[in-house]
Amino acid sequence: MDKIFRLNMTDKSFKVEPVPAAWVPLGGRALTSTIVAEEVTPTCDALGPNNKLVFAPGLLSGTAAANSGRLSAGAKSPLTGGIKESNAGGTVAQKLVRMGIKAIIIEGMPKDNKWYNLHVTKDSIVINEETELLGKGNFAVVEALEAKFDKKIGILTIGQAGEFMMTSANISVKDPDSKIRSHGRGGLGAVMGSKKIKYITVDETGAGAVPVAEPEKFKAAARTFAKALLDHPVSGQGLPTFGTNILVNILNEAGGLPTRNFTYGQCEDHDKFSGETMHDTIVARGGKPKHGCHAGCIIQCSQVYVDKDSKYLTSGFEYETIWGLGANCLVSCLDDIAKADNLMDDIGIDSIEGVVMFAVAMEAGILPWGDGKAVHRLLTEEIAKGTPLGRVLGNGTGSVGRTYGITRCPVVKNQGIPAYDPRSVKGIGITYATSTMGADHTSGYTIATNILNVGGFVDPLKKEGQVELSRNLQIATAAVDSTGMCIFVAFPALDVPECLPALIEMINARFGINLTGDDVIALGKSVLKTERAFNLAAGMNNAHDRLPEFFSLDPVAPHNAIWDFSDAEIDEFWNF
Amino acid sequence: MDKIFRLNMTDKSFKVEPVPAAWVPLGGRALTSTIVAEEVTPTCDALGPNNKLVFAPGLLSGTAAANSGRLSAGAKSPLTGGIKESNAGGTVAQKLVRMGIKAIIIEGMPKDNKWYNLHVTKDSIVINEETELLGKGNFAVVEALEAKFDKKIGILTIGQAGEFMMTSANISVKDPDSKIRSHGRGGLGAVMGSKKIKYITVDETGAGAVPVAEPEKFKAAARTFAKALLDHPVSGQGLPTFGTNILVNILNEAGGLPTRNFTYGQCEDHDKFSGETMHDTIVARGGKPKHGCHAGCIIQCSQVYVDKDSKYLTSGFEYETIWGLGANCLVSCLDDIAKADNLMDDIGIDSIEGVVMFAVAMEAGILPWGDGKAVHRLLTEEIAKGTPLGRVLGNGTGSVGRTYGITRCPVVKNQGIPAYDPRSVKGIGITYATSTMGADHTSGYTIATNILNVGGFVDPLKKEGQVELSRNLQIATAAVDSTGMCIFVAFPALDVPECLPALIEMINARFGINLTGDDVIALGKSVLKTERAFNLAAGMNNAHDRLPEFFSLDPVAPHNAIWDFSDAEIDEFWNF
C-alpha cells in the first residue's frame, strides 16, 4: 500500500499517513498541485512556516515505461507568489515509487536557528542537524554523500542560493551519473532553504518491486509507446543528436531568438553556439553527445560537454541556457556558456532565470554585454557568497529589473521569460501570459506547432488560433506532467496516432483502471483550474496574465512584430 | 481662468489646456487621482513612458485659509503598483494657484539619454537640458537655484535616490525657510527620475491675486476655522509644543509603539527621543520649537532641530521618523536620528519608508541593531551612491525583505507600515490594509479616536467599530486632501462643531458655490472609489488588502495582541 510521508519541521514530528482516496488517482504535478492547493493558505508567506514543500513521483514513475522517471516538486512560489510545480529527472522519483511513497509533504519551519538534513527510508524520515555541508555547492554535497553512503543513494540538495533563500534557487536531484538535474523554476530551493533543509538523502534499502496490475498489457503498451518515441523525427533523431540546442538555428531562422535582452529576434553569432556546433565540438573532444537524465530515458537529449582537454564541463546543457547567454547576453563562446551552466548547477540557481537575469543586469550596466568571464565572476564571487549584489542577482530577473529601474524586464508573474520571443512566436506568448506558473515555455510548448510543424501548424506571426493552441497544449501538459513522463513525449503524442493511447493504456495496466482519453483531458483541465484557483486566492487576477509593456511598445526585428493581443483575447484562454 | 499645463517629455511638446468641466470642482488629491485614473493605463510600467506625473494645489490653496498650502502629487506608484497621491506643504502650491495653474501633467519620457529641468512661468513650461546639478542632493539644488534665481523661486526637486529611480525616492519641495518638505510616500521621485527631470523651478512673476467669489463670507469662515484650530488641544497646544513627536510617549504608554522591527509594542528607551525630550533639547540649544511648513500654517508642528553648537540639523522632524529609528531600529540618540532625517531629506528618500526599511535591514544583518552611525554610512555611502546594496535599501522595506528573505517585513502593497502597531491599535490596521495607497497612517488616522479620544473613542484592542471608524476617516481624509488643507485640521473638525461647516463655507465662498456636508462626504467617497478602481484594474484585489502574515502569527507585548480580523471583516470596508 502506498503512503504519504508527512514531516513537520517546527516540532520535528513525522507521520506515515494512508493516501486519501481523492489522491489515489493522482501523481506528479496533479498530486503536488492538489496537495498545495488543499493544504497551503494561498496568501501565506512563501518563505514562512505555513508554506509546504511537496515531492511526488508521477503515475508511471518506477515502471518500465520509457521516459517516466520524473519527480514533481510543488509549493507556493516565493518568486511568483503563486502555485509552483517543477519537475526533473534524476534518480529519486523511481526510488520513492519502489519504496511505496506516494508523496512527501514537508511543513513548518524550525524555530531554532539550526540547519538540518533529512534521511528518507521506506519506513520513515529521520531529521539530523547539519553543519558540515553548509555553504557547499551541489556537486560537493553529492560527492560527500556518495562517500558517506554509496553511489546508489538518492539525493535532493540545495546550493548556496537555496541557503540564502534566493528566489531563483532550484532544488537539485542527483542523476544516474552522479551529476545533477534541477527542479529549476520558481524558487523551490528557497522554500527548502526556508525550512532549513540542506539536503535529503533517499535510501531505498528494503524497497520492493513496483506492482503492475496487468503486466502483459503494460508490456505491450510500453513497446508501442517506446517505438513511437524512437520513430518521431524530433524525439527519435533531432533531440538525441543535437539536444534541445537544436533550436538555436531554428529559432534564429524564425526570427524568434531573443537577442540582447529581447531587443532583436536574430543573433549574428548563432553559429558559434548552435546545436550543430555543440554536437561537433562534443564529438571532436570526446564528450558524450547522448545522455539520459534518468534510467529508462530513450530520447537521451542530454549530453556530457567537455573542455579542450576532454575534462567534464557540464551536462544537461539545454537550449534555454545556451540561448540565454549566447544570444540574449551576447556571450558567444560555448565553453564560457558551459562553465556558467556548471556554476549555476553547483550554486543551485535556475539556469533559465539566471540567463534572463544576466541580460537585464547587462542592461543595467552591472556587467558588460557579452562578458562571459564577468558572468562567472558574478556567480562565484557575488551570488555564491550572498553579497548584496549577489542577492539582487540571485533573486532573479524581476529583482534586478526592480532594483535598477529597468523597464525592459522580461518577466510574467515575476518569472523570467524563456528563449522564444512572444512577438514573433505568438502562441508561446499566450502560454507565458496565462500559465499558472509564470512565464514558462514548458507549460504549453506551442513552439511544437508554431515552429516545428508538430501537431499541425499555426502561423507564429498571426494571432489566429494561438489561444486555442496554447490552451490545448497546457491542458495536455498538465496531464503529462502528472504521469512522470518527460514533456518531450508530447512530440510523438501529437503526431503518432498510437502514442497517446499507449500512454493511457500503460496507466490503466499499472493500476487496473480504465481511463479514457477524455478522462486524461479532464485531469489536465482540473489541474490547471486547481492551480488557477490557488493563484486567484493568492491575490492574482487577469491583470497578472499579461506580458510586460515593452513587448507592446517595441517591435522586434526581422518581422517588426509586436505583441498585439487585447486583454479580452488573452482572457479567453480561461474559457474552458 | 484657470488652466492645465501639459508637458510631454517624449517630444518635448507643451500645451496650455482649458480645465475640463468635470475637473473644475476638484483640487489636490481629488484632481490628481482623477487625472491619473482617467489618463494612465493602470497596467503600465510605472517607470515607463505611459505613466504621468501630476501636480495640483488644493481647492483652498493660495487663499488666506489657515493651513491650506499643500500641494498634491499623483502618478502610478512604482512602489505599490497602484495609484499614488502624496501631498506636502512648501511654497509651490500657493504659487501655482496665483499663476492660475490648476494642474501640471507631465507625460512621456525622453528617448535621448539626457536629463532636464523645467521652468514654470504663468504662461508656459520651458524644458532645459540639465547637467550641472546631477548627482547633487536636494539642499545643494535649492542653494544653487536660489543663487541662480532668487529666494522667491519655487522648487520641486529630486535627490540622488530619484535619479536612481529608487522606489522610496520622494519629491522635495522648498519650504518658506529654503529647507524642504517631501511628497514622501510611494516613490514619486522615481517617477520624476524616470522622466529625467532633476528639478522644476516655479517663477510666479506676473501672477495675480487669487479670486474669491464672496470675500466677506470667506473672511468670516476663515476666522471661525482658524479659531477652531487654535482652540483644540491637539492642534492648538500639543502639536505646536512637541510636534508630532508628542506621540512617542503616548504610543509607548498604549503599547502600540513598534519596537525592534515590530517585535514589541513598547520601547525601554522612549524617553531618550520623546517629544518632551526633543522640545527641551531644542529650547536648551536655541533651535525653533515651532515652525510652519507653508505660509499660513497656524499649527506650526514643525521645528528647527539644532546640534550642541546650535547648528541646523534638521526640520520637519516627525514622529514617524523618530519612532522608526528610535524604537523600531533601537537608535536612541536623538542627534543621530536628526542627522539621518537630514540625510534622507537631502538624498531624497521617504523617511518613513527609510526607517521601516532600516529595521528590516537590521533584521537581515546588514547593519547592527541600534547603530545610528551605520545608518548614516549606508545613506551616504550606499544609497546616495547607488551601489548594489544602496539600491536594495533605496527601494524600500519590501525590497530588503524580498532580497534577504525576511518574513518579518512590515509592508502592505509593498509600502512600509508606519509607526503604530496594528495588533494593539486595530483601527489603524484596517487603514493600512485597505488604503488605496498601501500602508499609510495619514489616509485614515484612527489614532485620533483609538488613542487620542478625538471624535469619540473606539477601544484600540477590540475589533468592534474599527472598520467603520477607518472607513469614515478615510472618506473624510480623501475630501480634506482635496482642499489643500493639512490633515491635522481633522482634529478640530472631529471635535469642534463649527469647524467643518467653516471649512465648507470657505470653499463655497471661494468659488461661489453651495456645497453641503453631504457633498463633501460624496467627494471623499468618490475619490476612494476612483483610486480603488485604478488599483483593481492594475491587478490588485481583496487579497492585497491584507497585513503581512506575521501580524497574525506573533502576539505583541504588552497586550499579547494579534491581528485577528478575518478576510471578510476587512473586505466589509469597501461596502459603501
Side-chain angles (χ1 to χ4, degrees), chain A residues 176-257:
Chain A
D177 287 346
S178 304
K179 301 304 180 194
I180 57 175
R181 315 299 301 187
S182 310
H183 297 274
R185 309 223 66 189
L188 294 179
V191 177
M192 189 157 145
S194 76
K195 301 197 178 302
K196 302 280 182 202
I197 299 166
K198 174 66 179 173
Y199 63 82
I200 302 170
T201 42
V202 179
D203 177 353
E204 64 173 309
T205 304
V210 175
V212 173
E214 298 171 79
E216 289 311 313
K217 193 166 133 185
F218 188 94
K219 261 187 218 166
R223 261 195 307 270
T224 306
F225 181 73
K227 184 168 183 314
L229 261 62
L230 294 172
D231 284 353
H232 193 272
V234 175
S235 53
Q237 296 159 40
L239 288 170
T241 310
F242 302 112
T244 55
N245 198 24
I246 189 173
L247 289 163
V248 161
N249 282 342
I250 295 171
L251 267 295
N252 190 69
E253 181 65 24
L257 188 78

Side-chain angles (χ1 to χ4, degrees), chain B residues 253-256 421-427 450-451 457-464 466 556-565:
Chain B
E253 180 66 25
D421 198 299
R423 290 164 291 193
S424 36
V425 193
K426 293 188 192 289
N450 283 155
I451 302 290
F457 174 70
V458 174
D459 187 337
L461 291 165
K462 294 190 176 144
K463 294 202 288 183
E464 287 69 36
Q466 308 294 0
V556 66
H559 303 291
N560 283 321
I562 65 158
W563 179 249
D564 50 0
F565 281 87

Side-chain angles (χ1 to χ4, degrees), chain A residues 467-490:
Chain A
V467 171
E468 198 186 358
L469 174 64
S470 175
R471 187 196 293 129
N472 290 340
L473 289 174
Q474 289 198 51
I475 290 167
T477 302
V480 170
D481 283 346
S482 306
T483 62
M485 285 284 163
C486 159
I487 189 61
F488 292 152
V489 309

Side-chain angles (χ1 to χ4, degrees), chain B residues 149-168:
Chain B
F149 298 95
D150 59 36
K151 284 269 179 195
K152 285 182 294 187
I153 194 80
I155 301 170
L156 291 159
T157 163
I158 57 172
Q160 296 93 337
E163 291 186 44
F164 292 127
M165 293 186 284
M166 292 170 175
T167 52
S168 71

Side-chain angles (χ1 to χ4, degrees), chain A residues 335-520:
Chain A
D335 287 356
D336 279 350
I337 302 174
K339 183 170 175 188
D341 186 54
N342 184 249
L343 289 171
M344 289 190 277
D345 282 353
D346 195 35
I347 296 163
I349 74 169
D350 172 21
S351 65
I352 298 183
E353 196 63 45
V355 296
V356 181
M357 172 278 288
F358 275 119
V360 176
M362 288 172 180
E363 186 97 39
I366 296 171
L367 72 168
W369 288 103
D371 190 340
K373 303 293 186 286
V375 168
H376 303 159
R377 196 175 58 244
L378 289 171
L379 285 165
T380 56
E381 300 306 307
E382 304 283 349
I383 298 177
K385 293 183 177 169
T387 66
L389 177 57
R391 293 194 186 247
V392 171
L393 302 173
N395 281 311
T397 312
S399 164
V400 176
R402 278 191 304 276
T403 303
Y404 284 80
I406 304 297
T407 54
R408 183 180 291 279
C409 184
V411 295
V412 179
K413 301 182 179 77
N414 198 40
Q415 183 166 286
I417 291 182
Y420 315 88
D421 198 299
R423 290 163 292 192
S424 36
V425 193
K426 293 188 193 289
I428 201 71
I430 296 294
T431 295
Y432 295 155
T434 55
S435 170
T436 53
M437 298 292 143
D440 179 2
H441 62 299
T442 67
S443 64
Y445 192 66
T446 72
I447 306 305
T449 311
N450 283 154
I451 302 289
L452 304 174
N453 290 19
V454 171
F457 174 70
V458 174
D459 186 338
L461 290 165
K462 294 190 176 141
K463 294 202 288 183
E464 287 68 36
Q466 307 294 0
V467 171
E468 198 186 358
L469 174 64
S470 175
R471 187 196 293 129
N472 290 340
L473 289 174
Q474 289 198 51
I475 290 167
T477 302
V480 170
D481 283 346
S482 306
T483 62
M485 285 284 163
C486 159
I487 189 61
F488 292 152
V489 309
F491 293 115
L494 286 166
D495 278 343
V496 182
E498 58 273 26
C499 181
L500 191 59
L503 175 55
I504 298 171
E505 186 84 341
M506 287 191 291
I507 300 172
N508 286 337
R510 159 84 163 93
F511 296 102
I513 55 178
N514 282 297
L515 290 183
T516 63
D518 286 350
D519 294 332
V520 172

Side-chain angles (χ1 to χ4, degrees), chain A residues 309-321:
Chain A
D309 308 318
S310 303
K311 245 185 81 189
Y312 178 89
L313 255 180
T314 198
S315 55
F317 197 24
E318 305 291 349
Y319 163 64
E320 282 73 21
T321 316

